[in-house]
Amino acid sequence: MDREALNVLLRRKTGPSKGYALVDRNRADDMKVLIADDHALLAQAVAHALREEAGFEVAVTTSRQGAVDELEKTPYDVVLLDLRMPGMHGLSSVAEVVKRAGDGQVVLFTGQLDRQFLDDSIKLGLSGYIPKTMPLKSLQSVLQLIRSGQTFIPHVDGPAEANAPVKREPVSDREVHVLRLAADGDTNKEIARALAVTETQVKMIMRNICTKLGARNRAHACIIARERMLI
């Protein structure tokens, strides 16, 4: 995306409190795309690129509530859904947007993504995942594929890549609490003091967490937990 195009996008005005900017819809055969992402520069750049091509009508919203409101009044063929914009709370929010989209297709539009979260989302009716690093020239054909009802899943790291699916126990509330403390930078000694347990017990809890999440170590467990919206 060239700098001049981005500067033009930055000067565009978006809607008020709901966080979306609509475009005229006067071509019945066009693909209607809703981009739900609070990264304004990226969202508007993608919208601009699609609008430059024949056959696309695009709207942008910057929150989960904005996406819900827009879907209530306008049917969309494809919704690009960011996981980390305001109002998003993991799988429950994905399920809500999928339901609101009706016959439209919803795909995750985000950076790094945990494969287990993606698999769980697909079970809820999601149509796949478009990484934000995808070249714009490839996006149009991918959207056409998704609109036709196909599921699009590029390479995603995670335990589900194995030939046989790996079933893991869910992380308990106590383990989530430990993950939050670890993600905040607390040492094992500080976590032990907060939980009124020994450091050895904290290490055992962390080992269980890593096993359940398929994590290599404590830091990796925190990364996976954030990607799955556990913390």
Side-chain angles (χ1 to χ4, degrees), residues 98-115:
V98 168
K99 181 179 179 180
R100 301 277 185 174
D103 293 333
Q105 311 298 322
V106 180
V107 292
L108 296 181
F109 184 55
T110 187
Q112 292 184 341
L113 180 66
D114 175 74
R115 180 58 190 260

Side-chain angles (χ1 to χ4, degrees), residues 6 19 23 36 49 73 95 105 122 125 130 144 159 182 206 209 214 216 222:
L6 293 179
V23 297
K73 63 181 182 180
Q105 311 298 322
I122 288 175
I130 295 178
Q144 295 288 357
M206 285 303 306
I209 291 172
R216 296 185 297 273
C222 291

Side-chain angles (χ1 to χ4, degrees), residues 36-47:
D37 192 334
D38 67 333
H39 186 172
L41 181 62
L42 175 64
Q44 292 290 356
V46 173

Side-chain angles (χ1 to χ4, degrees), residues 15-222:
S17 59
K18 298 300 184 182
Y20 48 77
L22 300 181
V23 297
D24 292 335
R25 298 181 173 87
N26 51 17
R27 292 169 293 185
D29 294 334
D30 284 356
M31 183 192 302
K32 294 180 174 62
V33 178
L34 176 63
I35 302 173
D37 192 334
D38 67 333
H39 186 172
L41 181 62
L42 175 64
Q44 292 290 356
V46 173
H48 175 75
L50 291 176
R51 289 169 184 151
E52 289 295 299
E53 299 296 325
F56 288 94
E57 296 177 9
V58 189
V60 175
T61 181
T62 59
S63 69
R64 180 199 60 81
Q65 189 58 52
V68 169
D69 291 346
E70 183 66 11
L71 289 168
E72 283 183 348
K73 63 181 182 180
T74 305
Y76 284 89
D77 298 303
V78 180
V79 179
L80 304 184
L81 182 66
D82 179 37
L83 282 175
R84 303 190 182 281
M85 65 181 175
M88 290 295 294
H89 302 290
L91 289 172
S92 61
S93 296
V94 172
E96 179 186 19
V97 174
V98 168
K99 181 179 179 180
R100 301 277 185 174
D103 293 333
Q105 311 298 322
V106 180
V107 292
L108 296 181
F109 184 55
T110 187
Q112 292 184 341
L113 180 66
D114 175 74
R115 180 58 190 260
Q116 187 61 56
F117 186 91
L118 175 59
D119 289 344
D120 292 341
S121 297
I122 288 175
K123 292 176 183 177
L124 297 174
L126 196 81
S127 295
Y129 158 57
I130 295 178
K132 290 184 176 179
T133 54
M134 173 175 286
L136 290 177
K137 62 182 180 181
S138 302
L139 183 59
Q140 299 165 35
S141 58
V142 170
L143 290 176
Q144 295 288 357
L145 179 72
I146 292 168
R147 186 192 193 186
S148 71
Q150 301 296 311
T151 299
F152 180 77
I153 304 177
H155 175 80
V156 180
D157 291 331
E161 288 185 53
N163 292 331
V166 178
K167 294 186 178 296
R168 303 186 188 276
E169 294 181 34
V171 179
S172 68
D173 291 341
R174 188 188 196 198
E175 289 166 340
V176 169
H177 181 47
V178 171
L179 276 168
R180 289 196 181 105
L181 294 174
D184 287 340
D186 288 9
T187 63
N188 285 343
K189 184 176 182 178
E190 291 169 329
I191 295 174
R193 187 183 304 119
L195 298 181
V197 299
T198 67
E199 288 187 57
T200 300
Q201 288 175 299
V202 172
K203 292 178 181 178
M204 292 177 61
I205 293 172
M206 285 303 306
R207 278 199 294 269
N208 287 337
I209 291 172
C210 288
T211 298
K212 290 181 177 182
L213 296 181
R216 296 185 297 273
N217 50 45
R218 170 191 182 117
H220 189 209
C222 291

